[in-house]
Amino acid sequence: MKSITGISRKVKHLQMKPVDFILIILLMIASFSPFLLLRGNQQPGQIAQLRVNSQVVKSFDLGKDQTYTYRDAAHDDINKIEVRDGQIAIVYANCGDQICVRKGYIGKTGQTIVCLPHRLVIEIMGATDDKGRDKKDRIVDYQ
């Protein structure tokens, strides 16, 4: 009997107080704040770059609706790319996993579509200078 009463005394000391609940709720809200603060930071892009093996193959003006088919005869790679309403997507690819097709349309600066089997990357770029380079410093480069 003494062991049961000893356990019940310890349990009473471990009960949460109202201040503990408030602290837990504040920590939960704080853990999601980066998502809420950074979500609206992306702006619509102006151009998209198609890169294969880190080499720029083509730049797309997102203001003009167009389609482009990338073909690599050496590896039989085919990717059909579509620009519509200021966004870009890979609408067809003959790769096995189809992750690039399922990504859908993107249009915000910094977003990417990657087709690993074809070594292909489409990246949305922001404002550019007169030579076609980003005005802002790039943090990540694919070389």
Side-chain angles (χ1 to χ4, degrees), residues 93-114:
N94 66 346
C95 59
D97 57 15
Q98 297 290 300
I99 292 173
C100 56
V101 176
R102 285 185 267 147
K103 175 74 175 183
Y105 285 87
I106 60 171
K108 304 226 183 208
T109 303
Q111 289 182 316
T112 59
I113 299 174
V114 179

mmCIF file of all heavy atoms in Angstrom, residues 93-114:
data_model
loop_
_atom_site.group_PDB
_atom_site.id
_atom_site.type_symbol
_atom_site.label_atom_id
_atom_site.label_comp_id
_atom_site.label_asym_id
_atom_site.label_seq_id
_atom_site.Cartn_x
_atom_site.Cartn_y
_atom_site.Cartn_z
ATOM 1 N N ALA A 93 6.859 14.215 -70.300
ATOM 2 C CA ALA A 93 8.246 13.753 -70.241
ATOM 3 C C ALA A 93 8.243 12.243 -70.416
ATOM 4 O O ALA A 93 7.324 11.560 -69.947
ATOM 5 C CB ALA A 93 8.889 14.131 -68.912
ATOM 6 N N ASN A 94 9.237 11.733 -71.112
ATOM 7 C CA ASN A 94 9.295 10.282 -71.298
ATOM 8 C C ASN A 94 10.174 9.593 -70.257
ATOM 9 O O ASN A 94 10.640 8.485 -70.465
ATOM 10 C CB ASN A 94 9.754 9.933 -72.715
ATOM 11 C CG ASN A 94 11.181 10.352 -73.005
ATOM 12 O OD1 ASN A 94 11.780 11.129 -72.274
ATOM 13 N ND2 ASN A 94 11.733 9.846 -74.090
ATOM 14 N N CYS A 95 10.346 10.239 -69.109
ATOM 15 C CA CYS A 95 11.081 9.609 -68.013
ATOM 16 C C CYS A 95 10.135 8.695 -67.228
ATOM 17 O O CYS A 95 8.916 8.800 -67.345
ATOM 18 C CB CYS A 95 11.699 10.662 -67.096
ATOM 19 S SG CYS A 95 10.535 11.782 -66.339
ATOM 20 N N GLY A 96 10.695 7.826 -66.427
ATOM 21 C CA GLY A 96 9.897 6.827 -65.731
ATOM 22 C C GLY A 96 9.113 7.340 -64.539
ATOM 23 O O GLY A 96 7.977 6.935 -64.317
ATOM 24 N N ASP A 97 9.680 8.262 -63.759
ATOM 25 C CA ASP A 97 9.026 8.629 -62.508
ATOM 26 C C ASP A 97 7.956 9.717 -62.644
ATOM 27 O O ASP A 97 7.070 9.801 -61.813
ATOM 28 C CB ASP A 97 10.058 9.040 -61.456
ATOM 29 C CG ASP A 97 10.948 10.178 -61.901
ATOM 30 O OD1 ASP A 97 10.630 10.858 -62.900
ATOM 31 O OD2 ASP A 97 11.978 10.407 -61.234
ATOM 32 N N GLN A 98 8.036 10.583 -63.655
ATOM 33 C CA GLN A 98 7.043 11.623 -63.932
ATOM 34 C C GLN A 98 6.895 12.655 -62.806
ATOM 35 O O GLN A 98 5.873 13.331 -62.722
ATOM 36 C CB GLN A 98 5.673 11.007 -64.243
ATOM 37 C CG GLN A 98 5.642 10.137 -65.479
ATOM 38 C CD GLN A 98 5.789 10.951 -66.751
ATOM 39 O OE1 GLN A 98 4.974 11.808 -67.017
ATOM 40 N NE2 GLN A 98 6.832 10.682 -67.514
ATOM 41 N N ILE A 99 7.885 12.783 -61.953
ATOM 42 C CA ILE A 99 7.817 13.767 -60.869
ATOM 43 C C ILE A 99 7.787 15.180 -61.440
ATOM 44 O O ILE A 99 7.061 16.045 -60.949
ATOM 45 C CB ILE A 99 9.000 13.582 -59.892
ATOM 46 C CG1 ILE A 99 8.831 12.255 -59.147
ATOM 47 C CG2 ILE A 99 9.086 14.739 -58.907
ATOM 48 C CD1 ILE A 99 10.007 11.873 -58.295
ATOM 49 N N CYS A 100 8.537 15.419 -62.498
ATOM 50 C CA CYS A 100 8.570 16.756 -63.099
ATOM 51 C C CYS A 100 7.212 17.141 -63.679
ATOM 52 O O CYS A 100 6.812 18.303 -63.610
ATOM 53 C CB CYS A 100 9.650 16.830 -64.174
ATOM 54 S SG CYS A 100 9.504 15.583 -65.471
ATOM 55 N N VAL A 101 6.482 16.197 -64.214
ATOM 56 C CA VAL A 101 5.156 16.471 -64.776
ATOM 57 C C VAL A 101 4.161 16.716 -63.644
ATOM 58 O O VAL A 101 3.331 17.625 -63.715
ATOM 59 C CB VAL A 101 4.688 15.313 -65.682
ATOM 60 C CG1 VAL A 101 3.277 15.548 -66.191
ATOM 61 C CG2 VAL A 101 5.654 15.122 -66.845
ATOM 62 N N ARG A 102 4.249 15.934 -62.590
ATOM 63 C CA ARG A 102 3.326 16.082 -61.454
ATOM 64 C C ARG A 102 3.559 17.358 -60.666
ATOM 65 O O ARG A 102 2.695 17.782 -59.912
ATOM 66 C CB ARG A 102 3.432 14.874 -60.524
ATOM 67 C CG ARG A 102 2.739 13.652 -61.127
ATOM 68 C CD ARG A 102 2.734 12.504 -60.159
ATOM 69 N NE ARG A 102 3.921 11.693 -60.434
ATOM 70 C CZ ARG A 102 4.602 11.024 -59.539
ATOM 71 N NH1 ARG A 102 4.240 11.027 -58.288
ATOM 72 N NH2 ARG A 102 5.657 10.341 -59.876
ATOM 73 N N LYS A 103 4.712 17.996 -60.829
ATOM 74 C CA LYS A 103 4.997 19.256 -60.130
ATOM 75 C C LYS A 103 3.995 20.337 -60.517
ATOM 76 O O LYS A 103 3.629 21.172 -59.716
ATOM 77 C CB LYS A 103 6.430 19.694 -60.454
ATOM 78 C CG LYS A 103 6.836 21.022 -59.902
ATOM 79 C CD LYS A 103 7.072 20.970 -58.431
ATOM 80 C CE LYS A 103 7.608 22.315 -57.958
ATOM 81 N NZ LYS A 103 7.918 22.329 -56.561
ATOM 82 N N GLY A 104 3.547 20.316 -61.763
ATOM 83 C CA GLY A 104 2.560 21.295 -62.215
ATOM 84 C C GLY A 104 3.200 22.624 -62.579
ATOM 85 O O GLY A 104 4.396 22.724 -62.820
ATOM 86 N N TYR A 105 2.366 23.655 -62.619
ATOM 87 C CA TYR A 105 2.812 24.983 -63.022
ATOM 88 C C TYR A 105 3.446 25.733 -61.856
ATOM 89 O O TYR A 105 2.953 25.671 -60.740
ATOM 90 C CB TYR A 105 1.635 25.805 -63.565
ATOM 91 C CG TYR A 105 1.226 25.375 -64.950
ATOM 92 C CD1 TYR A 105 0.322 24.341 -65.142
ATOM 93 C CD2 TYR A 105 1.754 26.000 -66.066
ATOM 94 C CE1 TYR A 105 -0.041 23.942 -66.412
ATOM 95 C CE2 TYR A 105 1.398 25.612 -67.343
ATOM 96 C CZ TYR A 105 0.500 24.575 -67.508
ATOM 97 O OH TYR A 105 0.146 24.182 -68.768
ATOM 98 N N ILE A 106 4.540 26.439 -62.169
ATOM 99 C CA ILE A 106 5.200 27.292 -61.188
ATOM 100 C C ILE A 106 5.370 28.677 -61.815
ATOM 101 O O ILE A 106 5.436 28.802 -63.040
ATOM 102 C CB ILE A 106 6.567 26.725 -60.744
ATOM 103 C CG1 ILE A 106 7.523 26.590 -61.939
ATOM 104 C CG2 ILE A 106 6.390 25.395 -60.024
ATOM 105 C CD1 ILE A 106 8.939 26.255 -61.543
ATOM 106 N N GLY A 107 5.457 29.709 -60.966
ATOM 107 C CA GLY A 107 5.608 31.043 -61.513
ATOM 108 C C GLY A 107 6.237 32.039 -60.565
ATOM 109 O O GLY A 107 6.379 33.193 -60.902
ATOM 110 N N LYS A 108 6.628 31.614 -59.372
ATOM 111 C CA LYS A 108 7.206 32.533 -58.386
ATOM 112 C C LYS A 108 8.724 32.414 -58.393
ATOM 113 O O LYS A 108 9.279 31.333 -58.576
ATOM 114 C CB LYS A 108 6.663 32.219 -56.999
ATOM 115 C CG LYS A 108 5.154 32.273 -56.967
ATOM 116 C CD LYS A 108 4.673 33.025 -55.815
ATOM 117 C CE LYS A 108 3.164 32.934 -55.858
ATOM 118 N NZ LYS A 108 2.483 33.969 -55.294
ATOM 119 N N THR A 109 9.369 33.532 -58.168
ATOM 120 C CA THR A 109 10.829 33.597 -58.179
ATOM 121 C C THR A 109 11.438 32.564 -57.224
ATOM 122 O O THR A 109 11.019 32.452 -56.084
ATOM 123 C CB THR A 109 11.298 34.996 -57.769
ATOM 124 O OG1 THR A 109 10.721 35.943 -58.656
ATOM 125 C CG2 THR A 109 12.805 35.114 -57.812
ATOM 126 N N GLY A 110 12.397 31.802 -57.740
ATOM 127 C CA GLY A 110 13.087 30.805 -56.926
ATOM 128 C C GLY A 110 12.507 29.407 -57.034
ATOM 129 O O GLY A 110 13.154 28.449 -56.641
ATOM 130 N N GLN A 111 11.300 29.258 -57.558
ATOM 131 C CA GLN A 111 10.720 27.923 -57.694
ATOM 132 C C GLN A 111 11.430 27.169 -58.815
ATOM 133 O O GLN A 111 11.899 27.769 -59.787
ATOM 134 C CB GLN A 111 9.223 27.999 -57.994
ATOM 135 C CG GLN A 111 8.382 28.451 -56.835
ATOM 136 C CD GLN A 111 6.904 28.458 -57.186
ATOM 137 O OE1 GLN A 111 6.503 28.904 -58.252
ATOM 138 N NE2 GLN A 111 6.093 27.951 -56.270
ATOM 139 N N THR A 112 11.487 25.844 -58.673
ATOM 140 C CA THR A 112 12.157 25.018 -59.674
ATOM 141 C C THR A 112 11.339 23.778 -59.990
ATOM 142 O O THR A 112 10.550 23.306 -59.181
ATOM 143 C CB THR A 112 13.546 24.551 -59.186
ATOM 144 O OG1 THR A 112 13.389 23.815 -57.984
ATOM 145 C CG2 THR A 112 14.484 25.708 -58.967
ATOM 146 N N ILE A 113 11.566 23.281 -61.185
ATOM 147 C CA ILE A 113 11.086 21.961 -61.593
ATOM 148 C C ILE A 113 12.338 21.184 -61.976
ATOM 149 O O ILE A 113 13.163 21.683 -62.742
ATOM 150 C CB ILE A 113 10.130 22.032 -62.793
ATOM 151 C CG1 ILE A 113 8.899 22.864 -62.457
ATOM 152 C CG2 ILE A 113 9.725 20.629 -63.235
ATOM 153 C CD1 ILE A 113 7.971 23.101 -63.650
ATOM 154 N N VAL A 114 12.469 19.983 -61.462
ATOM 155 C CA VAL A 114 13.662 19.178 -61.717
ATOM 156 C C VAL A 114 13.253 17.843 -62.316
ATOM 157 O O VAL A 114 12.361 17.171 -61.809
ATOM 158 C CB VAL A 114 14.463 18.942 -60.412
ATOM 159 C CG1 VAL A 114 15.677 18.083 -60.671
ATOM 160 C CG2 VAL A 114 14.865 20.266 -59.787
#
